[in-house]
Amino acid sequence: ALQWNNGTRLPINGTFIDEGTLPKGSTWARNPIPRIDFDSHSSGQPETFSDCRFVHGQVEGQACRQFEPPCKWDDGWYSQPGRHHSVDVEGACSGDWTGGVIVDKVLIPEDLPAGEYVLGWRWDCEESSQVWSSCSDVTVEND
């Protein structure tokens, strides 16, 4: 789900890939927030990419998004507040989205014994070689 900073949630379906992934047998989930790319020099777009431009401090053109955003009311984008002529732009649920967070549920097997566990995850960047990882302590208790 997407959750905006005001607490509003939008359930979304995940996009998962398990073919051609490394390590073999792993499943990857795609970030549901489409990137807004408006220059073909640094964002990996083909040189012939068009209808996406930065004009007078604003990004223009529908071709800028990598895919359709999950919230149907995302009909444009703007420079992030306080950043005139910024390369950081966002829409209602696209770009460098600062208006909320991505929320997910963790399914715990019914037969998992009560105890202390560590939940770990990693986030691999699509556009660079950056990898973020994090973890959390989890206590599983019997009802």
Side-chain angles (χ1 to χ4, degrees), residues 1-11 73 97 99-103:
L2 302 183
Q3 179 173 306
W4 279 261
N5 294 338
N6 67 6
T8 302
R9 278 194 183 192
L10 174 67
W73 57 91
W97 187 49
V101 294
I102 302 167
V103 179

Side-chain angles (χ1 to χ4, degrees), residues 108-118 137-143:
I108 299 174
E110 291 181 18
D111 60 347
L112 185 69
E116 301 291 324
Y117 294 88
V118 174
D137 296 324
V138 177
T139 301
V140 174
E141 299 176 345
N142 292 330
D143 287 337

Side-chain angles (χ1 to χ4, degrees), residues 19-60:
E19 292 181 19
T21 57
L22 295 174
K24 190 174 181 175
S26 64
T27 300
W28 292 63
R30 184 181 77 180
N31 182 342
I33 306 298
R35 178 86 175 118
I36 297 174
D37 297 324
F38 56 87
D39 77 47
S40 60
H41 304 291
S42 64
S43 55
Q45 298 168 338
E47 289 184 21
T48 58
F49 194 78
S50 63
D51 192 30
C52 190
R53 57 209 167 275
F54 196 56
V55 179
H56 304 295
Q58 296 297 315
V59 179
E60 298 178 357

Side-chain angles (χ1 to χ4, degrees), residues 88-101:
D88 297 323
V89 293
E90 63 183 286
C93 63
S94 60
D96 294 330
W97 187 49
T98 62
V101 294

